[in-house]
Amino acid sequence: MERTLVIIKPDAVLKGLVLDVKTRYILQEMKLQRSVTRVLDLHTASLLYAEHRGQFFFEGLVLAMVSGPCHVMVLSGRNVICRVREMNGPTRDAPSGTIRGDFPSAGGPFNIVHGSDSPEAVLREIGILFPKLCTDE
Ligand code: UDP
Ligand code: MG
């Protein structure tokens, strides 16, 4: 069974959207393996988005990620990496029916959710946010 890492970003947590967003995944037969609400520190947020270091939006993204609590989840299910990304919607101009489209935000780094984009990213991101989960299995 495949796993993925999802982060409900601080803007969505502050708007009280955790339950609504989480329920969408669970209704699609994805199993919640771990979930925790926590405030990321600058180091952790920078590590998480290291692939974007040097991009014009990197600093704003990292600051947005530490601006309040995140709700971090590990989901499992068939083809869950791809299915979560489809449910989340594209980075920009997400259509209605997707999570990013249905819960509009200020845009840029404030786009409600993060989902890992590959099996390698899942391992790396779970390693950063749930290190014990990696060594246990
Ligand atoms: N982002 C941004 N401006 C951009 C591109 C990305 O603020 O021009 C933010 C946005 O919040 C996005 C995150 O950086 O979700 C990571 O970018 P990525 O290209 O990995 O998009 P995602 O995989 O989240 O759709
Ligand atoms: Mg990405």
Side-chain angles (χ1 to χ4, degrees):
M1 202 54 93
E2 193 172 82
R3 293 188 302 186
T4 195
L5 182 107
V6 174
I7 304 174
I8 303 179
K9 297 186 182 187
D11 54 310
V13 174
L14 292 173
K15 284 180 189 159
L17 296 177
V18 168
L19 203 58
D20 283 352
V21 173
K22 212 167 172 174
T23 303
R24 286 210 185 193
Y25 299 120
I26 291 165
L27 287 175
Q28 294 305 314
E29 290 173 39
M30 297 173 181
K31 211 166 160 227
L32 190 62
Q33 301 287 352
R34 291 285 187 286
S35 67
V36 66
T37 298
R38 62 174 276 203
V39 179
L40 303 186
D41 58 38
L42 280 173
H43 174 71
T44 304
S46 305
L47 262 185
L48 204 60
Y49 280 117
E51 66 172 311
H52 298 303
R53 191 179 282 280
Q55 303 258 27
F56 71 93
F57 60 85
F58 179 74
E59 286 187 7
L61 175 60
V62 167
L63 286 176
M65 293 303 287
V66 303
S67 64
C70 285
H71 191 76
V72 191
M73 299 178 274
V74 175
L75 294 172
S76 68
R78 188 185 44 79
N79 201 19
V80 75
I81 299 173
C82 186
R83 287 199 295 135
V84 160
R85 298 226 358 135
E86 275 174 18
M87 288 179 69
N88 289 354
T91 319
R92 263 170 249 95
D93 304 321
S96 56
T98 66
I99 291 170
R100 285 172 170 170
D102 290 347
F103 301 108
S105 69
F110 301 104
N111 58 352
I112 305 294
V113 277
H114 164 83
S116 310
D117 65 5
S118 66
E120 296 73 31
V122 171
L123 279 181
R124 199 183 71 81
E125 293 170 6
I126 290 181
I128 293 169
L129 291 169
F130 294 98
K132 203 164 171 299
L133 198 58
C134 278
T135 52
D136 284 355
E137 285 168 21

